[in-house]
């Protein structure tokens, strides 16, 4: 018997209305190669405002992840919020699964919207895409924000115990939950104080049905692609002013990876560590995230020393 009510689907409709009220509209771009990209774009682009691309991570769709950020930044920027391939309403029939291909698809969406200069913010998996975007299309990117994305990880880190899991396959089982018990495990890794402990299984099942049941195998392939043969020595040094943001208790991508990225980029980057926050600091400490984010994006390109947010 079909469900008569879905809290998650209802929240999706509310978020669509919220995005619309913030001046965004839903668009689809056919890249003519078997790829369809969905993106929220400004209803009316303002030439006096800079352009900003928000790239989501695994988990809930882009609206759930960026709703508060859109509320805060849409009055200052022309905001673009794409769905990456196999998330939301974006998909491809092509076999590529790398973050490089994801970045190329986002770039083509920006070109279709006549956006030639922009800053990019990437959250978790979206940080891998944002970093690659900045490396590939350096002349187009003004500033970069990398949020809790282990772009400096190496394949050997899994075997050497840096992570809570020892293989990408184990990570995929956590990041792509199919049962309420698995969802609770994921939220335990994501938050310092996991809300899933008090959520009924029916709500978790509803969320899984809406967010995690499509393109499961393709998403596993995305995870495999980011770790395969990955070496820090192969990672290009992006040249744009970069802000690195991390929760000090991140269990998905440990804080060491944030410090490693700061060392890799040197003086060109600044780092903000949010205290008493995990991988989900965007939800746990939204003010501590948005204050330095807004200051960095709206301020000068000069970087500052690393700092902690209490």
């Amino acid at each position: 018997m079909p469900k008569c009510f879905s809290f998650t689907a209802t929240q999706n409709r509310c978020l669509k209305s919220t995005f619309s009220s913030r001046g965004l509209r839903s668009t689809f771009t056919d890249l003519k190669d078997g790829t369809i990209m969905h993106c929220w774009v400004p209803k009316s682009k303002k030439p006096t405002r800079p352009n900003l691309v928000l790239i989501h991570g695994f988990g809930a769709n882009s609206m759930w992840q960026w709703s508060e950020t859109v509320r805060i930044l849409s009055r200052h920027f022309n905001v673009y919020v794409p769905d990456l391939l196999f998330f939301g309403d974006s998909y491809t029939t092509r076999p590529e699964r790398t973050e490089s291909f994801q970045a190329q698809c986002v770039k083509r969406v920006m070109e279709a919207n006549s956006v030639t200069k922009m800053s990019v913010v990437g959250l978790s998996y979206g940080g891998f895409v944002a970093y690659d975007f900045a490396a590939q299309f350096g002349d187009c990117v003004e500033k970069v924000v990398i949020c809790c994305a282990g772009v400096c990880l190496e394949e050997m880190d899994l075997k050497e115990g840096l992570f809570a899991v020892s293989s990408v396959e184990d990570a995929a089982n956590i990041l792509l939950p199919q049962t309420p018990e698995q969802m609770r495990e994921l939220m335990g890794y994501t938050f310092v104080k996991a809300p899933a402990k008090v959520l009924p299984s029916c709500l978790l099942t509803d969320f899984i049905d809406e967010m995690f049941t499509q393109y499961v195998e393709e998403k596993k392939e995305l995870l495999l692609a980011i770790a395969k043969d990955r070496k820090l020595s192969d990672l290009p040094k992006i040249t744009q002013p970069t802000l690195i943001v991390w929760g000090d208790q991140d269990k998905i991508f440990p804080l060491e990876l944030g410090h490693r990225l700061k060392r890799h980029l040197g003086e060109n980057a600044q780092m903000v560590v949010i205290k008493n926050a995990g991988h989900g600091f965007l939800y746990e400490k939204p003010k501590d995230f948005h204050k330095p984010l807004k200051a960095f994006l709206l301020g000068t390109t000069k970087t500052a020393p690393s700092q902690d947010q209490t």
Side-chain angles (χ1 to χ4, degrees), residues 5-297:
F5 175 78
S6 166
F7 170 81
T8 309
T10 300
Q11 182 65 8
N12 275 333
R13 290 192 290 271
C14 291
L15 287 171
K16 288 178 181 179
S17 177
T18 298
F19 269 47
S20 179
S21 70
R22 297 297 174 191
L24 302 183
R25 62 186 177 89
S26 173
T27 65
F28 291 87
T29 303
D30 186 349
L31 302 186
K32 307 297 183 183
D33 62 355
T35 303
I36 302 291
M37 291 289 290
H38 174 263
C39 187
W40 289 92
V41 307
K43 293 177 181 177
S44 177
K45 182 179 175 182
K46 295 179 171 54
T48 57
R49 292 182 180 178
N51 301 309
L52 180 66
V53 183
L54 304 176
I55 306 179
H56 66 84
F58 267 65
N61 63 40
S62 60
M63 295 185 298
W64 287 62
Q65 294 187 34
W66 292 123
S67 177
E68 182 69 2
T69 309
V70 167
R71 182 188 69 80
I72 293 170
L73 296 181
S74 59
R75 69 193 70 177
H76 304 287
F77 296 89
N78 296 310
V79 176
Y80 297 81
V81 188
D83 285 335
L84 294 176
L85 295 172
F86 306 118
F87 297 90
D89 293 316
S90 296
Y91 65 90
T92 187
T93 58
R94 291 181 55 163
E96 292 94 332
R97 298 292 182 264
T98 63
E99 66 266 33
S100 178
F101 181 62
Q102 293 271 23
Q104 291 163 17
C105 291
V106 173
K107 177 63 163 58
R108 293 172 68 184
V109 172
M110 294 303 104
E111 289 173 347
N113 285 278
S114 301
V115 178
T116 57
K117 292 285 186 180
M118 69 211 82
S119 293
V120 294
V121 182
L123 177 66
S124 193
Y125 174 72
F128 286 83
V129 179
Y131 194 96
D132 197 281
F133 191 105
Q136 282 195 70
F137 311 111
D139 292 343
C140 301
V141 179
E142 296 170 317
K143 294 183 180 182
V144 181
V145 183
I146 303 296
C147 305
C148 58
V151 296
C152 278
L153 74 84
E154 299 189 283
E155 190 172 24
M156 65 180 183
D157 287 329
L158 288 161
K159 298 176 183 178
E160 294 183 353
L162 180 63
F163 297 94
V165 296
S166 59
S167 70
V168 180
E169 290 79 5
D170 290 340
N173 289 334
I174 293 172
L175 293 173
L176 299 168
Q178 300 299 303
T179 67
E181 291 72 24
Q182 291 174 332
M183 189 70 209
R184 290 188 177 94
E185 182 181 17
L186 171 59
M187 297 182 83
Y189 278 105
T190 304
F191 301 107
V192 173
K193 295 181 180 179
K197 293 180 180 179
V198 297
L199 292 175
S201 293
C202 60
L203 283 181
L204 297 177
T205 298
D206 176 65
F207 188 79
I208 290 167
D209 289 345
E210 289 287 330
M211 300 292 183
F212 289 103
T213 55
Q214 283 192 313
Y215 300 118
V216 175
E217 291 305 314
E218 289 85 353
K219 289 175 182 175
K220 287 181 180 179
E221 292 167 0
L222 296 177
L223 290 172
L224 289 167
I226 64 172
K228 182 175 175 57
D229 300 324
R230 196 174 190 95
K231 295 180 181 178
L232 180 57
S233 58
D234 295 333
L235 187 71
K237 286 188 178 181
I238 59 175
T239 58
Q240 300 88 348
T242 301
L243 175 66
I244 303 164
V245 188
W246 230 273
D248 68 342
Q249 298 184 44
D250 196 320
K251 297 177 184 177
I252 302 291
F253 290 121
L255 179 58
E256 162 56 25
L257 292 173
H259 291 304
R260 191 184 293 180
L261 179 58
K262 175 66 174 73
R263 292 192 296 269
H264 182 71
L265 295 179
E267 294 302 314
N268 199 47
Q270 60 179 305
M271 184 172 179
V272 170
V273 178
I274 300 177
K275 292 184 177 179
N276 301 314
H279 195 70
F281 62 74
L282 189 106
Y283 305 101
E284 292 179 298
K285 299 289 184 75
K287 291 182 180 179
D288 292 340
F289 169 58
H290 288 110
K291 183 178 179 180
L293 174 69
K294 182 179 176 181
F296 173 76
L297 290 172

